[in-house]
Structure formats: structure tokens, C-alpha cells
Amino acid sequence: MRIVLLGAPGSGKGTQARMLVDKFAVPRISTGDLLRAAVKAGTELGKQAKAAMDAGRLVSDEIVLGMIEERLAQSDAKRGFILDGFPRNTLQAQELDAKLERLGQPLQIALLVSVDFNVLMKRMTGRRTCGDCGQIYNVNYAPSAVADVCDKCGGKLIHRTDDNESTIGKRLDTYQVETEPLVIYYKAQGKLRTVNGEGEIEVIFSKICNIIN
Ligand code: AMP
């Protein structure tokens, strides 16, 4: 299974990607997670990426493509993968296609999780993520049972520094300008599938599974 999940920040694609990992046993590869880990570890790459992330802009293609190259070379990705947050512009999509073509393993589906822009802002300001296991909650829509504590593993819930109103506005702009053209890109390849990302998480998930199956 080789899938790209497309969707604006806050569309719920990260949540759906995690559920797909549990069901289909292929890794989720999130460039956002890889970049946050690099920032946290204080690596040179993390230092370079941080300013763009804090400003809601895209990190340079060179950094992101290098990270993806390394991650796709790991053994667990041989079975397939769910790409979450990558590609984010046309150049990244073209590079991904070229790489997968060389491996004889082309992408199968680009799945767009579509959510109205007005809903996205509320979702993102309320988002909380477990610092240990990555489980996602929302204080407005899907809170944890105990405030700031993960239901799954007891880890502390974190409010991402780029989930504040000004950065969110910029991230949504960046999505519209840089990433939304990928909808046309994958449509032209006949690989685009769209699911309405508003509503119950489980209902959306079952629609996604139907598309994949
Ligand atoms: P995400 O967790 O996917 O929302 O990503 C958080 C931030 O990481 C984004 O706002 C970008 O600054 C950066 N980022 C993540 N993925 C990419 C990518 N494929 N290309 C460039 N920047 C990225």
C-alpha cells in the first residue's frame, strides 16, 4: 500500500493516518514529525528548519527531500507507507514520483481529506498532541478524559507552538498557494480520491477504508 494523504493542516489527516497504520500495518511517514524530532534534538537540520516552521512557511525542499529519501530507505517502508504532510508542493510530488518510479513501486492513491476552511481554524487552535505516543485530541471536539493527559499512554498532552492563531493563518495560506495545486496534479494522474473530512472520525475512517479496499 503506497498512499499520500492530502489535506489542509487541521483536516484530520494525521488522525486518519494513525488509524490506517493500526489497520494496515504499514508505517506512517510524517515530515512534520521528522522535522519536529530534529528541532527537539537540536540537530543542524532542525535549527535550519525551525524558523520556517515557526513562521508557518514550508521548510526547504532540499532538507525535506533528504529526510524522505532516508526514511523511505528504511526496511519497514518496503511493505508500503502512508505519507502524511508530504509532498507539499509540485516539486516534492515530482521528486517522489521519480523516486518511486525508479523503485518500480508507483504511488497508488492520493487521498484528499477535504474540510471547509472555517472549520480548520477552530480545529487547529484546540488541537493537543501526546508528547509520548503522538495521539491527537481536540479540546473542542475530542478531549482526553483527564485534561492534558493522554487516554492511551498517560503521556502529557502538548499544544504545538505552531498551532497559534497567527501561525495557523499563515499555514493555511501556504497550503492554498503551495499544496492545493497537488489536487490537480494527482487528478491528472487519475490517482486522486476525495473524502469529506467533516463528521465522526470513525465514519470518515470507514469511508477511507472503502476507498483503499
Ligand atoms: P505538519 O506537522 O505536517 O503540519 O508540519 C509542520 C510544519 O513542518 C509545516 O508547517 C512546515 O513548516 C514543515 N513541513 C512539514 N512537512 C513539510 C514538507 N513536506 N515540506 C516543507 N515543509 C514541511
Side-chain angles (χ1 to χ4, degrees):
M1 178 162 121
R2 295 177 300 278
I3 294 184
V4 161
L5 282 184
L6 281 178
S11 60
K13 62 182 170 21
T15 300
Q16 297 295 335
R18 284 190 176 77
M19 292 164 82
L20 289 170
V21 168
D22 290 343
K23 188 171 166 86
F24 293 100
V26 290
R28 161 180 172 263
I29 300 179
S30 154
T31 39
D33 281 358
L34 293 172
L35 287 164
R36 276 184 290 280
V39 171
K40 198 169 169 191
T43 64
E44 190 49 43
L45 188 152
K47 283 179 197 150
Q48 288 173 31
K50 190 175 181 331
M53 293 172 80
D54 286 347
R57 294 192 317 267
L58 293 188
V59 171
S60 79
D61 291 327
E62 194 190 346
I63 290 182
V64 172
L65 288 168
M67 278 176 34
I68 278 287
E69 177 89 32
E70 237 175 64
R71 184 60 188 87
L72 286 177
Q74 288 173 19
S75 60
D76 63 341
K78 302 272 180 288
R79 290 194 310 272
F81 47 77
I82 298 157
L83 288 173
D84 173 4
F86 177 91
R88 254 184 161 95
N89 60 25
T90 307
L91 177 90
Q92 292 181 9
Q94 288 166 338
E95 292 288 325
L96 176 67
D97 276 346
K99 175 162 182 65
L100 296 179
E101 209 57 57
R102 282 196 297 277
L103 296 173
Q105 304 218 303
L107 197 71
Q108 293 162 314
I109 297 176
L111 188 95
L112 171 66
V113 182
S114 171
V115 174
D116 191 278
F117 255 60
N118 296 325
V119 178
L120 292 171
M121 182 68 89
K122 191 164 177 206
R123 281 198 183 177
M124 287 164 81
T125 47
R127 178 158 66 180
R128 300 291 182 273
T129 310
C130 175
D132 292 338
C133 75
Q135 180 71 22
I136 298 168
Y137 299 86
N138 191 294
V139 294
N140 303 313
Y141 302 106
S144 56
V146 177
D148 297 330
V149 179
C150 179
D151 294 347
K152 259 188 160 177
C153 75
K156 187 171 162 27
L157 303 189
I158 292 166
H159 189 192
R160 276 173 49 172
T161 51
D162 58 354
D163 275 348
N164 64 72
E165 268 186 42
S166 68
T167 310
I168 289 170
K170 180 65 190 145
R171 286 164 68 200
L172 292 176
D173 287 349
T174 303
Y175 175 79
Q176 276 189 314
V177 174
E178 307 253 10
T179 312
E180 218 165 45
L182 294 184
V183 172
I184 311 277
Y185 178 91
Y186 286 118
K187 200 173 190 176
Q189 293 187 352
K191 291 184 178 168
L192 183 76
R193 302 288 180 277
T194 303
V195 67
N196 181 349
E198 291 176 47
E200 292 290 317
I201 289 172
E202 291 293 342
V203 175
I204 299 164
F205 182 62
S206 95
K207 286 184 192 161
I208 290 177
C209 291
N210 284 341
I211 290 171
I212 290 172
N213 289 326

